[in-house]
């Protein structure tokens, strides 16, 4: 499941309806859980900025978006900004090692999408497009990959090998010569581009550092076919995340637990990329991408506990 997030107002109304007594009982029951139960939840291990600002915003209720004046909880999912009760300066900012494009299905409900989390927390490196308005990737297929499972998808650790194949065969004589050639004929990166420190944050000279952009599709699994079959996405290197399990509260029935929400997919890809391609030890550099996700996960877990659904 490549999408979806929480309708915050629905959750909080449900939570508040239980009253302080049941909330207290719920929190006590959570405190009595064994350590092993927490180990089953990787969100417990994250190195996150203080979420006190979100706690305060939850208590004060919905607030206005500073741009469109809509009533929202925590952030505006159409303007991609925090609401008035959540000062921007108190929201962490994450610097990513490459750019991210998120292609959102037009029928995907804005308020249920976790894609906005990425834009809020890494605003300089994330761009959200609403399909069918997406960029043309044809000329830069040698430095772009698409996160999506499929028969030809590869693992993160194999990115370097496959990007080599995309770039090492040299430059075509003309656009006409390239038009129907296999991907091996894509243009080689210029030396100055490879060494641009703004594009590659690692000193590693691995072929994997040629990767400049990752594309994610934000939709339910039943809606992905319309986007993944678009001709503008054909021929891109496809990456599949097979080893992570979702913590998402809207997981689609009948789908494997390795089908991640959009923000989870972004986070886990970056962790693997950092270790497998940049060859650097991971010390929580991207954990704050789950700043909102982890907070909402806890709210929903508590609310379900209090209503007897868990």
């Amino acid at each position: 499941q490549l999408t979806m997030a929480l309708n915050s107002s629905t959750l909080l109304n449900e939570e508040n309806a239980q009253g302080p007594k049941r909330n207290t009982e719920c929190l006590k029951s959570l405190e009595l859980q064994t350590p092993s139960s927490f180990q089953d939840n990787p969100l417990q291990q994250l190195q996150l900025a203080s979420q006190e600002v979100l706690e305060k915003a939850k208590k004060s209720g919905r607030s206005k978006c500073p741009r469109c004046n809509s009533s929202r909880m925590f952030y505006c999912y159409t303007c991609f900004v925090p609401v008035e009760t959540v000062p921007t300066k108190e929201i962490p900012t994450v610097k990513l090692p490459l750019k991210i494009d998120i292609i959102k299905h037009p029928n995907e409900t804005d308020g249920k999408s976790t894609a906005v989390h990425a834009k809020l927390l890494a605003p300089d490196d994330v761009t959200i497009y609403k399909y069918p308005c997406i960029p043309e990737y044809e000329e830069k297929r040698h430095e772009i990959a698409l996160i999506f499972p499929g028969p030809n998808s590869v693992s993160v650790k194999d990115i370097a090998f496959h990007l080599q194949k995309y770039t090492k065969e040299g430059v075509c004589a003309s656009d006409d010569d390239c038009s129907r050639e296999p991907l091996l004929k894509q243009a080689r990166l210029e030396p100055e581009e490879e060494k641009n420190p703004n594009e590659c944050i690692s000193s590693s000279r691995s072929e994997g550092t040629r990767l400049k952009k990752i594309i994610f599709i934000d939709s339910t699994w039943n809606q992905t076919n319309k986007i993944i079959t678009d001709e503008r996405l054909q021929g891109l290197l496809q990456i599949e995340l097979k080893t992570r399990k979702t913590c998402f509260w809207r997981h689609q029935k009948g789908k494997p637990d390795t089908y991640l929400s959009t923000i989870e997919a972004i986070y886990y890809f970056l962790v693997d990329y950092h270790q497998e391609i940049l060859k650097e030890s991971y010390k929580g550099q991207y954990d704050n991408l789950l700043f909102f996700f982890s907070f909402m996960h806890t709210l929903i877990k508590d609310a379900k506990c209090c209503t007897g659904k868990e």
Side-chain angles (χ1 to χ4, degrees):
Q1 146 186 357
L2 288 171
T3 76
M4 307 170 294
L6 164 72
N7 183 326
S8 301
S9 61
T10 300
L11 166 68
L12 294 174
N13 287 338
E14 176 183 337
E15 182 189 25
N16 293 335
Q18 308 307 315
K21 180 178 179 180
R22 296 195 68 180
N23 282 337
T24 301
E25 293 173 353
C26 177
L27 292 175
K28 286 182 178 179
S29 69
L30 290 176
E31 291 171 358
L32 294 175
Q33 292 184 39
T34 61
S36 61
S37 65
F38 284 102
Q39 292 173 4
D40 293 335
N41 180 7
L43 300 181
Q44 296 288 336
Q45 311 301 323
L46 297 173
Q47 300 178 43
L48 297 173
S50 171
Q51 294 175 320
E52 183 179 357
V53 62
L54 300 182
E55 289 285 358
K56 291 179 179 178
K58 184 190 74 168
K59 292 177 182 177
S60 61
R62 298 167 71 88
S63 180
K64 285 186 178 181
C65 168
R67 292 187 183 175
C68 68
N69 290 321
S70 297
S71 177
R72 302 279 191 255
M73 178 63 71
F74 303 130
Y75 55 80
C76 179
Y77 44 75
T78 51
C79 299
F80 310 139
V81 294
V83 295
E84 293 177 346
T85 55
V86 182
T88 302
K89 64 181 181 180
E90 294 186 42
I91 299 300
T93 300
V94 184
K95 179 61 182 174
L96 307 185
L98 34 68
K99 300 299 182 183
I100 287 176
D101 282 358
I102 300 174
I103 302 173
K104 185 176 177 297
H105 193 282
N107 294 336
E108 178 62 21
T109 305
D110 290 340
K112 294 182 179 180
S113 172
T114 62
V116 63
H117 298 181
K119 182 62 178 176
L120 284 162
L121 298 163
D124 295 336
D125 298 316
V126 175
T127 305
I128 298 178
Y129 298 93
K130 181 169 287 189
Y131 187 84
C133 298
I134 65 175
E136 293 286 349
Y137 296 112
E138 174 73 21
E139 297 301 317
K140 294 189 175 183
R141 287 188 295 184
H142 56 288
E143 59 186 37
I144 297 176
L146 170 67
I147 303 296
F148 197 81
N152 298 318
S153 60
V154 303
S155 65
V156 174
K157 68 178 181 179
D158 292 328
I159 288 176
F161 172 75
H162 288 279
L163 281 185
Q164 270 187 329
K165 295 193 297 182
Y166 275 60
T167 62
K168 281 197 169 181
E169 292 298 318
V171 182
C172 294
S174 69
D175 289 341
D176 291 339
D177 292 337
C178 285
S179 61
R180 297 299 177 187
E181 291 292 330
L183 297 182
L184 299 180
K185 298 294 184 181
Q186 292 303 309
R188 184 192 303 272
L189 285 180
E190 293 298 323
E192 59 267 26
E193 290 184 55
E194 293 182 38
K195 297 178 181 179
N196 186 340
N198 294 324
E199 296 291 342
C200 176
I201 66 169
S202 174
S203 61
S204 168
R205 297 304 175 187
S206 161
E207 291 288 340
T209 59
R210 293 178 182 271
L211 189 65
K212 301 294 180 64
K213 181 175 288 186
I214 289 290
I215 302 169
F216 292 83
I217 296 175
D218 186 52
S219 78
T220 62
W221 280 99
N222 293 332
Q223 296 172 336
T224 56
N225 189 62
K226 182 175 182 179
I227 297 178
I228 196 62
T229 56
D230 189 286
E231 61 180 5
R232 290 168 291 182
L233 299 181
Q234 302 312 300
L236 293 174
L237 178 64
Q238 281 186 221
I239 311 297
E240 183 171 2
L241 306 174
K242 300 179 180 179
T243 62
R244 311 291 190 171
K245 294 183 179 181
T246 185
C247 292
F248 193 44
W249 48 90
R250 290 184 183 273
H251 183 68
Q252 295 177 36
K253 292 181 179 180
K255 301 298 182 183
D257 57 6
T258 53
Y259 282 18
L260 307 172
S261 66
T262 302
I263 194 63
E264 287 177 301
I266 292 172
Y267 169 73
Y268 285 126
F269 168 79
L270 289 170
V271 172
D272 289 347
Y273 178 82
H274 195 87
Q275 296 173 316
E276 299 286 352
I277 302 303
L278 300 184
K279 303 297 183 183
E280 297 178 8
S281 60
Y282 183 70
K283 299 179 180 179
Q285 291 92 331
Y286 314 121
D287 282 11
N288 276 321
L289 285 175
L290 298 179
F291 180 77
F292 291 105
F293 184 89
S294 64
F295 187 80
M296 292 177 173
H297 180 273
T298 300
L299 287 184
I300 292 175
K301 185 177 179 64
D302 291 354
K304 286 183 177 180
C305 167
C306 294
T307 56
K309 293 182 179 180
E310 280 194 350

